[in-house]
């Protein structure tokens, strides 16, 4: 007689969870990066049975992924949200997809400017976020925060770390880790230097991050709701 396949055990409700949030250091002449300003204010936040750990990563090819990998080794998180600045965007934008290409329009903080080089040689062309991006957008809008799904994280260091994160999750022996990337607007003090540029206050960014983390912890299968673009 064949033995029944044992059901995978769901973690006990008392098992603590760790959430890793990363934010970048400033780049392209800025003195701050809203991603780090928002992320660092949530370091130590306890949400349900999860604790949030914040880490800063450098805006540098390779080093960003190395710093992320180091933090994941150290913390063994079950959920990872990497955050980055998208100057010019007016909304909080969970990214849908990471692509396997580095094509830097400007040099990174160490002067690297790769053109059409894979993030991971031989890796898949792309990875989808495993965050519930639609549910996050719905909850943010319901809370009065402008938000949309983004279908391109660009081809600079944010896409680079996003691809690195998803590749690590896909190839790492520990199953069940979920992760993704969120681009966020300038802070008002940054936008004040560029006439007409949109911005979001730190208070709203932090509120939006809290909603994103809580939703990602609560929703493991995303909702079906339109989040596409015509072009
Ligand atoms: N934004 C850049 C890299 C670091 C950051 O905060 C990007 O969108 O690629």
């Amino acid at each position: 007689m064949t033995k029944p396949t044992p059901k995978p055990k769901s973690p006990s409700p008392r098992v603590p969870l760790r959430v890793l949030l990363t934010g970048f250091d400033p780049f392209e002449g800025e003195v701050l990066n809203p991603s780090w300003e928002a992320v660092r204010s949530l370091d130590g936040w306890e949400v349900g049975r999860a604790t949030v750990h914040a880490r800063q990563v450098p805006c540098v090819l390779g080093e960003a992924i190395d710093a992320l990998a180091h933090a994941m080794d150290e913390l063994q998180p079950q959920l990872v949200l990497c955050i980055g600045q998208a100057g010019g965007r007016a909304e909080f934008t969970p990214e849908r997809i990471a692509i396997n290409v580095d094509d830097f329009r400007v040099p990174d903080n160490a002067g690297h400017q790769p053109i059409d080089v894979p993030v991971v040689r031989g890796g898949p062309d792309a990875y989808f976020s495993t965050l519930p991006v639609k549910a996050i957008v719905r909850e943010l809008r319901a809370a009065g925060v402008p938000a949309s799904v983004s279908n391109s994280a660009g081809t600079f260091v944010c896409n680079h770390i996003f691809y690195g994160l998803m590749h690590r999750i896909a190839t790492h022996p520990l199953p069940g880790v979920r992760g993704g990337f969120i681009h966020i607007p300038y802070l008002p003090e940054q936008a004040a230097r560029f006439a007409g540029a949109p911005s979001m206050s730190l208070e709203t960014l932090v509120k939006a991050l809290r909603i994103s983390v809580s939703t990602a912890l609560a929703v493991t299968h995303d909702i079906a709701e339109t989040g596409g673009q015509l072009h």
Side-chain angles (χ1 to χ4, degrees):
M1 225 172 75
T2 53
K3 279 189 190 165
T5 320
K7 282 199 182 136
K9 280 187 192 147
S10 53
S12 137
R14 285 186 304 279
V15 174
L17 297 175
R18 285 170 301 279
V19 177
L20 171 62
L21 294 184
T22 68
F24 278 99
D25 58 8
F27 68 104
E28 226 190 346
E30 297 290 332
V31 295
L32 52 77
N33 189 317
S35 64
W36 176 238
E37 299 308 315
V39 159
R40 73 172 172 172
S41 62
L42 289 185
D43 191 37
W45 179 43
E46 296 195 353
V47 45
R49 62 195 172 104
T51 305
V52 168
H53 300 264
R55 293 288 185 275
Q56 191 176 33
V57 291
C59 184
V60 176
L61 180 97
E63 290 180 25
I65 294 177
D66 291 347
L68 171 69
H70 181 79
M72 289 177 75
D73 284 343
E74 176 205 343
L75 297 163
Q76 304 283 319
Q78 288 79 19
L79 180 67
V80 184
L81 275 73
C82 297
I83 316 296
Q85 162 190 312
R89 283 199 194 167
E91 297 182 304
F92 209 82
T93 44
E95 296 290 348
R96 191 197 295 260
I97 190 163
I99 59 175
N100 193 13
V101 66
D102 289 322
D103 185 0
F104 290 7
R105 185 180 57 76
V106 294
D108 69 12
N109 285 352
H112 306 117
Q113 197 167 6
I115 298 175
D116 296 352
V117 176
V119 179
V120 177
R121 204 167 295 282
D125 289 342
Y127 285 107
F128 286 113
S129 173
T130 47
L131 300 180
V133 292
K134 303 278 182 77
I136 290 172
V137 166
R138 183 176 67 179
E139 294 304 315
L140 289 170
R141 289 178 177 170
V145 179
S148 287
V149 172
S150 164
N151 295 300
S152 172
T155 56
F156 191 45
V157 185
C158 285
N159 175 74
H160 180 79
I161 199 171
F162 182 19
Y163 188 92
L165 166 66
M166 301 318 296
H167 187 71
R168 187 183 165 84
I169 289 174
T171 56
H172 202 266
L174 278 179
V177 181
R178 293 181 300 131
F181 193 93
I182 302 179
H183 261 127
I184 66 176
Y186 279 142
L187 286 165
E189 54 265 50
Q190 295 178 286
R193 297 188 5 251
F194 308 104
S199 64
M200 210 175 256
S201 72
L202 185 59
E203 191 190 354
T204 304
L205 290 175
V206 172
K207 169 178 151 177
L209 263 189
R210 286 184 195 270
I211 292 169
S212 304
V213 170
S214 311
T215 306
L217 285 168
V219 180
T220 48
H221 291 97
D222 206 357
I223 56 169
E225 197 164 275
T226 306
Q229 296 163 296
L230 288 190
H231 45 77

